[in-house]
Every structure is written in C-alpha cells, then in structure tokens.
Amino acid sequence: MSKSMSLLTAFLCTFIWGTTFIAQDTGMDKIGPLTFNGARFFIGFLTIIPFSLILEKKKIIKEINKNKKLFNKLLFFIGLFLFLGTYLQQTALLYTDVANAAFFTIFYVPMVPIILFIFYSKLPHWSIWPSVLFCIIGVYLLSDFSNATVRLGDSLVVLCAIFWSLHIIFIGYFIKNFNLPLFFGALQALVVSIFSTIFALFFETITFANILNESISIIYAGMLSGGIAFTLQIYAQKNISAAPAAIIFSLEGVFAAFAAWIILDQILDINNVIGCTLILFAVIFSQL
C-alpha cells in the first residue's frame, strides 16, 4: 500500500469514528457501557471476519508462524488497550458532555510522541510538536471547553487517552511485523467483545430486550466503527508512523462536530470553525 492510500484510509477511518460518536452517545439509554461495547465489537468481529477468511486465508497461518508468541502477545495487549480505551470513553459519556470528551480525548496526540520518546528513545520529527500544539488549540476551540466544567467524566477521558495512545503505538508495531490487517482487525474486535461481556456479567444487568432496543446504534457503531474503522486504522499505519497518525486521527473531533451539526442541528459558531481549520492545518503540516 502506498503512502497516499494509507493517508486516504486514515482519513476514512477518522471520518467513521467521528460520525459514529453520536451512535455511541445515544446507544446507552437502556444498557450500560460494557454491554454496549460487548455487543458492538461482536458485530464488528462478524463484519470483518468473513472478508479476512476470503482475502487473507492463504497467508494467515504463514504470517502467524513468523512469531506465534509475539502475535498472541500483541493481540492480548492491543485488545486490552482498545477495551480499556473504549470502555472509559463510553463510561465518560455518562458523566460529561461531548464537548469535554472531545477535548480530553485529543490528549492522545501529545501522549503518543512523549510515550515513544520515554520508552523507546524515539525522537519524533520537529514538525510534530507545532502540529500537536495547533491540534490541541483547535480542539479547545472546537469543543467550547471554555464554557464547560471539569467533572468525573473528564478524568475518565484523560485516562482513556493513555490507552488510545498505547493502542496506536502497538498497532504500528504490529503492522511492521505481520501483514494481516483484516484478520487482526477481526480478532481485536473479538477480544474487546469478550473482555466487555465478562465484566458486564459482573457489573451490569444484561437484558436481551434492552439490547434489542439499542440495536440500531449497536449495529451502526459495531459495523462501521468497531469493525471497519479499526481495521482501516491498521491499514493506515502501515505507511504512517504513530505520532503523525495520531494527529490525523484527531480529525475525529472535526467530523463529530459536523455530524452533530447535520444530524442534531447543533450549529457551529466562529470558534468551532476556527478550531476545525487549525486541526486541519495541523494534519497537513505534520504530513508536509
């Protein structure tokens, strides 16, 4: 896959994440975040696994046998990071508003290069830092955070951003070692579904009728975000390193704002438009 195709899949992945945010928010009217994620990611697994078995069938065994221990280790940790990131994000939406969630989630943008430097002594290109700054200012303006109050949910989103960062870093490491984006995308969704369902059995009341009541949000978020988008992320990071990838993924907030504008009639003011422009500038600058 070429660099331009990787960029295209990154933008498509981010677009899906942003527009799915509404389904994530509205899909917990009758069920808890663990139940929602368990069902959502199982739908994601069912969406991707048929394509992986058709398109990657001949190389699955070969790729895994390169280093079976490393493959299983990465699958466990990447699945765990994705489970914790999505669970904390879903839970945060019960306590805070979308504006705050958008602002604090974007903390994974500076976290990725910082974690890479601390643990891997990998110094990013100088252009990453001004891009990170523009990105944070842009999300600040986009989210209208200046008019919001800090709550418990905001702390959960900051913690969630740490696991998003680790997920992005480890996905970059995986795709450098194994060429199985579809199969791994399906498996990581299954791992998240299993983790979510196990914890839901202990901490939530699972009612099948309530799950059916949220079926539209679950199917939408499951197929598009839990399945397709997280698989596209793996494709995207094949030719894009973790730090600039995180900046591109920050466009999620921009797409979420436009989706809320179109679907929920939430009007964008001048600050929101300036914020969108700054994030877009940060993405372009990081790539040029």
Side-chain angles (χ1 to χ4, degrees):
M1 181 183 287
S2 65
K3 176 75 177 288
S4 58
M5 281 301 295
S6 291
L7 287 170
L8 182 62
T9 52
F11 280 117
L12 182 56
C13 159
T14 309
F15 173 79
I16 294 172
W17 281 342
T19 53
T20 308
F21 209 89
I22 295 171
Q24 288 180 241
D25 192 28
T26 58
M28 294 189 295
D29 293 338
K30 297 182 181 296
I31 59 176
L34 286 167
T35 304
F36 179 83
N37 272 350
R40 166 196 174 191
F41 278 94
F42 187 68
I43 294 294
F45 165 73
L46 293 178
T47 302
I48 300 301
I49 194 64
F51 294 100
S52 71
L53 294 177
I54 293 170
L55 299 174
E56 296 178 340
K57 181 181 179 181
K58 294 181 179 179
K59 61 179 181 179
I60 289 175
I61 302 299
K62 180 182 176 182
E63 285 290 325
I64 294 176
N65 284 338
K66 283 181 179 178
N67 192 333
K68 191 178 294 185
K69 185 178 180 180
L70 178 63
F71 183 90
N72 292 330
K73 187 177 179 181
L74 287 173
L75 177 61
F76 174 80
F77 281 106
I78 289 173
L80 178 64
F81 296 147
L82 185 56
F83 159 68
L84 292 170
T86 52
Y87 168 60
L88 289 169
Q89 187 184 65
Q90 285 295 135
T91 306
L93 288 171
L94 298 173
Y95 300 102
T96 190
D97 51 35
V98 173
N100 288 37
F103 179 75
F104 284 113
T105 298
I106 218 65
F107 273 40
Y108 68 71
V109 175
M111 283 180 185
V112 167
I114 290 171
I115 291 173
L116 284 171
F117 178 70
I118 292 174
F119 292 100
Y120 299 99
S121 300
K122 189 175 180 180
L123 192 64
H125 190 269
W126 66 267
S127 63
I128 291 299
W129 300 113
S131 297
V132 165
L133 179 62
F134 282 122
C135 183
I136 292 175
I137 296 172
V139 175
Y140 179 84
L141 294 171
L142 178 63
S143 64
D144 287 328
F145 178 72
S146 56
N147 297 324
T149 55
V150 176
R151 305 172 202 142
L152 167 65
D154 303 332
S155 302
L156 293 175
V157 182
V158 172
L159 189 58
C160 142
I162 296 174
F163 294 112
W164 284 131
S165 305
L166 292 170
H167 182 259
I168 290 170
I169 291 169
F170 274 66
I171 282 291
Y173 184 67
F174 168 82
I175 201 62
K176 295 291 188 295
N177 289 274
F178 302 96
N179 185 25
L180 281 176
L182 283 169
F183 187 65
F184 192 83
L187 288 185
Q188 75 166 354
L190 181 61
V191 170
V192 176
S193 178
I194 291 171
F195 273 130
S196 301
T197 303
I198 290 172
F199 281 94
L201 289 171
F202 287 99
F203 298 107
E204 295 178 1
T205 301
I206 301 177
T207 307
F208 190 67
N210 289 340
I211 294 175
L212 287 178
N213 284 331
E214 305 291 355
S215 58
I216 294 175
S217 294
I218 289 171
I219 292 171
Y220 185 85
M223 290 182 66
L224 291 179
S225 177
I228 296 171
F230 281 108
T231 303
L232 287 174
Q233 177 198 354
I234 302 173
Y235 274 107
Q237 289 191 234
K238 191 172 181 66
N239 290 307
I240 306 173
S241 56
I247 294 171
I248 295 173
F249 295 148
S250 70
L251 280 169
E252 174 186 3
V254 175
F255 291 129
F258 277 101
W261 179 28
I262 295 169
I263 299 171
L264 303 178
D265 294 323
Q266 295 180 1
I267 305 301
L268 295 176
D269 61 23
I270 186 64
N271 280 352
N272 301 144
V273 174
I274 294 173
C276 290
T277 305
L278 284 174
I279 295 171
L280 186 59
F281 175 78
V283 171
I284 294 171
F285 187 75
S286 71
Q287 294 305 309
L288 292 179

